[in-house]
């Protein structure tokens, strides 16, 4: 489908901030062209001619930071609407007015009278997940996992039910006391910061999930074997934990000492382990 | 419409939502499979946040994988093959240059 109805597929993206004090993330469109290429991104405007922005204020600025806008005809009037996720984890609904235009003000989607939320970084993807003819809402979250808000209304009158978990959130980051693991072979499931897509990838007639994530891997530093690195890591984590426990936040001298010790610890850590922060893409085939 | 997600870092976690889970009719899934392009796992630049989109963007009849990332607001395109695998990727271009969504750090 294409956003402006010109027959060419477009790309719609969220963005963190337009670098102004309000931290409002804009919806960016890369319009497709006849030869299959794309134009450079431009901000998507509302019916008032101003860039579409999720509702918010300085008090709740994270509501305005857009993580993902998703275009679909949620209310069944034949015009594309936009459901947009944000940093806070809620979902804004911009009603479409046709040909890629949208009302300037959004309303928050609700389920059972409560604002729909996931544990931050909402990630709307709408599809008829349960095959009842209306659009259901899938989402990842900052904590990981994949979630479903089933549409219990109809194609022309959406009404979302409470959130269901399709995939539990990922493990906690860097748990103290766990045996250190290096490389990526032990990573068997999506981790944090999940982004979802659904399609029948394997062609068996059931919708599958494609999930992107975010994680930090630990690699052995050059010349260091796994046993040595593990031993040093356990010792290092104990000392870091002790350092944090000893921090005196209201004493400038203690703060200075803390900072010095913290930096020394970080430098020491790099002697036996190297971090790599990245994200993978996973396929979860539905049975 | 391709909807590519650009993502945010760090936590400011609000109170958790009300959850109905698990449901008796909850779908069941095979174990997750980490996807590859060619012989290598698909992965994005630091600080991560891979955002997949599965769509036949080049119109050759095989769905491709477009993966957005936080760094630079860039997207990688991995062309799909007849067998369902993905070829090594390249950055998505816009007007001849690597496409960069502004406002993503």
């Amino acid at each position: 489908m294409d956003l402006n109805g010109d027959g060419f597929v477009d790309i719609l993206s969220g963005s963190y901030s337009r670098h102004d004090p309000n931290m409002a993330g804009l919806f960016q469109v890369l319009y497709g062209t006849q030869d299959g290429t794309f134009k450079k991104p431009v901000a998507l405007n509302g019916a008032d001619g101003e860039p579409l922005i999720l509702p918010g204020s300085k008090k709740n600025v994270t509501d305005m930071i857009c993580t993902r806008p998703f275009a679909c005809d949620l209310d069944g009037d034949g015009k594309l609407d936009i459901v947009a996720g944000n940093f806070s984890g809620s979902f804004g609904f911009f009603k479409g007015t046709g040909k890629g235009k949208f009302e300037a003000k959004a309303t928050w989607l609700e389920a059972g009278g409560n604002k729909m939320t996931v544990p931050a970084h909402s990630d709307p993807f709408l599809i008829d997940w349960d095959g009842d003819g209306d659009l259901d809402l899938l989402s990842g979250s900052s904590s990981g996992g994949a979630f479903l808000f089933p549409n219990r209304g109809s194609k022309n009158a959406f009404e979302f039910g409470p959130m269901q978990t399709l995939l539990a959130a990922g493990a906690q980051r860097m748990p103290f006391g766990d045996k250190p693991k290096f490389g990526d072979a032990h990573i068997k499931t999506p981790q944090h910061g999940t982004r979802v897509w659904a399609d029948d990838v394997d062609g068996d007639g059931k919708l599958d999930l494609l999930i992107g994530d975010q994680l930090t891997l630990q690699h052995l530093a050059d010349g260091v074997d796994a046993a040595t690195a593990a031993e040093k890591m356990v010792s290092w984590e104990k000392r870091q934990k002790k350092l944090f426990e000893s921090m005196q936040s209201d004493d400038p001298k203690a703060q200075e000492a803390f900072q010095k010790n913290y930096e020394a610890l970080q430098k020491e850590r790099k002697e036996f382990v190297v971090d790599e922060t990245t994200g993978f893409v996973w396929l979860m085939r539905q049975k | 419409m391709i909807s590519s997600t650009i993502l945010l870092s760090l936590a400011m976690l609000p109170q958790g939502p009300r959850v109905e889970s698990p449901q008796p009719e909850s779908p069941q899934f095979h174990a997750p499979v980490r996807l590859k392009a060619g012989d290598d796992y698909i992965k994005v630049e630091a600080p991560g946040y891979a955002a997949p989109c599965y769509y036949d963007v080049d119109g050759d009849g095989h769905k491709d994988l477009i993966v957005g990332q936080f760094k630079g607001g860039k997207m990688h395109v991995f062309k799909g093959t007849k067998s369902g695998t993905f070829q090594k990727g390249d950055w998505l271009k816009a007007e001849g240059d690597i496409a960069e969504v502004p406002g993503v750090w």
Side-chain angles (χ1 to χ4, degrees):
Chain A
M1 119 182 24
D2 67 292
L3 193 63
N4 56 0
D6 65 358
F8 311 122
V9 65
D10 309 310
I11 295 176
L12 176 62
S13 173
S15 67
Y16 192 102
S17 169
R18 60 175 174 178
H19 298 288
D20 74 2
N22 288 329
M23 292 282 290
L26 306 183
F27 307 166
Q28 303 283 347
V29 187
L30 289 76
Y31 286 107
T33 66
Q34 190 170 13
D35 63 4
T37 61
F38 295 94
K39 294 181 180 177
K40 292 191 174 180
V42 293
L44 186 62
N45 290 339
D48 60 358
E50 294 296 317
L52 286 175
I53 296 175
L54 284 162
S57 66
K58 288 183 179 178
K59 288 184 178 178
N60 54 0
V61 68
T62 55
D63 281 354
M64 303 167 71
I65 300 175
C66 175
T67 48
R68 177 185 210 175
F70 188 92
C72 61
D73 181 14
L74 179 57
D75 57 11
D77 65 355
K79 301 167 186 171
L80 284 176
D81 312 302
I82 287 181
V83 176
N86 61 11
F87 195 103
S88 303
S90 47
F91 301 90
F93 172 71
F94 293 88
K95 183 175 175 59
T97 57
K99 296 183 179 178
K101 304 294 183 185
F102 305 89
E103 291 184 355
K105 302 298 181 187
T107 56
W108 298 113
L109 292 181
E110 295 184 346
N114 299 311
K115 193 174 180 181
M116 288 164 54
T117 60
V118 295
H121 299 187
S122 41
D123 168 55
F125 183 93
L126 288 103
I127 193 169
D128 185 7
W129 176 262
D130 51 19
D132 66 355
D134 54 35
L135 292 174
D136 309 298
L137 190 151
L138 299 170
S139 181
S141 84
S142 62
S143 301
F147 307 96
L148 166 68
F149 291 90
N151 189 343
R152 293 175 175 170
S154 67
K155 184 178 178 181
N156 301 106
F158 60 87
E159 183 179 342
F160 290 101
M163 188 173 84
Q164 300 174 17
T165 300
L166 299 180
L167 171 70
Q172 295 297 309
R173 292 169 205 251
M174 295 180 64
F176 289 112
D178 279 10
K179 184 179 179 183
K181 294 173 181 171
F182 305 104
D184 63 1
H186 61 286
I187 305 295
K188 302 294 186 186
T189 189
Q191 301 291 299
H192 308 276
T194 43
R195 305 290 112 183
V196 300
W197 189 278
D199 202 337
D200 180 13
V201 176
D202 58 10
D204 67 353
K206 289 173 282 191
L207 288 172
D208 309 305
L209 291 177
L210 287 157
I211 301 178
D213 69 359
Q214 190 268 349
L215 73 163
T216 299
L217 300 169
Q218 297 176 141
H219 299 287
L220 298 171
D222 288 344
V224 179
D225 62 74
T228 301
E231 183 181 345
K232 289 187 174 183
M233 179 64 85
V234 170
S235 169
W236 183 90
E237 287 185 340
K238 285 179 181 175
R239 283 182 287 136
Q240 178 175 259
K241 185 178 180 183
K242 191 175 179 181
L243 176 64
F244 278 110
E245 289 171 348
S246 68
M247 185 173 65
Q248 301 288 327
S249 60
D250 56 350
D251 181 348
K253 286 187 177 178
Q255 286 182 358
E256 187 178 340
F258 171 84
Q259 183 66 25
K260 188 176 178 182
N261 290 330
Y262 178 79
E263 290 173 1
L265 268 177
Q266 298 305 315
K267 185 178 178 183
E268 179 188 329
R269 187 175 183 276
K270 291 178 182 176
E271 294 173 1
F272 55 89
V273 69
V274 178
D275 289 334
E276 179 193 14
T277 303
T278 186
F280 295 121
V281 179
W282 302 80
L283 171 62
M284 291 185 61
R285 292 171 48 235
Q286 190 175 169
K287 291 182 178 176
Chain B
M1 169 61 56
I2 302 172
S3 181
S4 174
T5 317
I6 304 300
L7 304 155
L8 312 173
S9 61
L10 304 179
M12 289 174 63
L13 304 182
Q15 189 172 359
R18 188 158 66 92
V19 175
E20 273 187 7
S21 175
Q23 297 296 300
E25 68 277 19
S26 289
Q28 301 296 309
F29 295 91
H30 294 282
V33 174
R34 190 156 35 126
L35 294 181
K36 290 184 174 180
D39 296 327
D40 300 322
Y41 287 115
I42 293 171
K43 63 181 184 180
V44 299
E45 296 175 325
Y49 297 101
C53 162
Y54 187 60
Y55 192 88
D56 181 12
V57 72
D58 58 8
D60 68 353
H62 309 303
K63 290 190 177 178
D64 312 302
L65 194 61
I66 301 93
V67 182
Q69 66 173 34
F70 191 97
K71 185 176 181 182
K74 296 183 291 185
M75 291 163 264
H76 240 115
V77 180
F78 302 94
K79 291 193 174 184
T81 68
K82 187 177 181 181
S83 62
T85 59
F86 300 102
Q87 299 175 3
K88 285 184 177 294
D90 196 5
W91 294 114
L92 182 84
K93 303 287 197 314
E95 300 177 31
D97 298 323
I98 294 174
E100 295 185 5
V101 173
V104 184
W105 302 326

